[in-house]
Amino acid sequence: MELVNNSIVLREDRNLLVVTHLSQYLYFVTGFGGLIVPLVIWLTSKDSVIGMDEHGKSIINFQLSLILYLIIGIPGILFFGLGILVLIFSGILSLIIPAVNAIKASNGQSPSYFGTFRFIS
């Protein structure tokens, strides 16, 4: 389905939304691509794909929240010992939540990332 809005053609591309969500797993393969690749996909196609702006913002907010959890969790291990719980929590979130939201994107639903701070609104 395509919509014409101020000479910009919007297209519905659920596959690109799913790929954007699943690209977060690049952290486990390369160590750094889980934030960069979704950011590039979001910035290049937020004006041309229906729903990309919402999904992209959610993904970037989630990745920034995970980085914040790591920044808090690592010193928390040394000082309180409870930082290991924060790291386990963020690890579980980073494994499960992108897959759940990829399935939601393929069904045309809005993303919902648990434990995310809204850096970009």
Side-chain angles (χ1 to χ4, degrees), residues 7 10 14 27 31 34 37 39 45-46 49 52 58 66 73 78 92 103 112 119:
S7 73
L10 297 174
R14 291 185 184 172
Y27 269 132
V37 173
L39 180 66
S45 61
K46 69 180 178 180
V49 176
M52 179 57 81
S58 297
L66 286 178
L78 299 174
I92 291 171
I103 294 169
S112 62
F119 296 102

Side-chain angles (χ1 to χ4, degrees), residues 3 45 47 49 56 66 74 77 80 83 85-86 91 94 104 117 120:
L3 299 172
S45 61
D47 295 329
V49 176
L66 286 178
I74 291 173
I77 292 173
F80 306 113
L85 296 175
V86 173
S94 67
K104 284 186 172 187
F117 300 107
I120 302 171

Side-chain angles (χ1 to χ4, degrees), residues 10-86:
L10 297 174
R11 61 178 164 63
E12 184 176 8
D13 193 356
R14 291 185 184 172
N15 292 331
L16 184 61
L17 294 175
V18 171
V19 167
T20 307
H21 284 285
L22 294 179
S23 67
Q24 297 176 71
Y25 288 122
L26 287 173
Y27 269 132
F28 300 110
V29 178
T30 63
F32 62 87
L35 175 65
I36 296 169
V37 173
L39 180 66
V40 169
I41 294 172
W42 171 57
L43 289 175
T44 57
S45 61
K46 69 180 178 180
D47 295 329
S48 62
V49 176
I50 297 172
M52 179 57 81
D53 194 40
E54 177 187 9
H55 286 266
K57 286 178 183 178
S58 297
I59 292 169
I60 301 305
N61 284 332
F62 179 66
Q63 290 298 318
L64 293 175
S65 297
L66 286 178
I67 292 170
L68 182 65
Y69 288 146
L70 292 176
I71 290 171
I72 292 170
I74 291 173
I77 292 173
L78 299 174
F79 294 120
F80 306 113
L82 296 175
I84 192 73
L85 296 175
V86 173

Side-chain angles (χ1 to χ4, degrees), residues 84-101:
I84 192 73
L85 296 175
V86 173
L87 295 177
I88 291 171
F89 173 74
S90 64
I92 291 171
L93 281 180
S94 67
L95 283 173
I96 295 172
I97 300 297
V100 169
N101 284 301

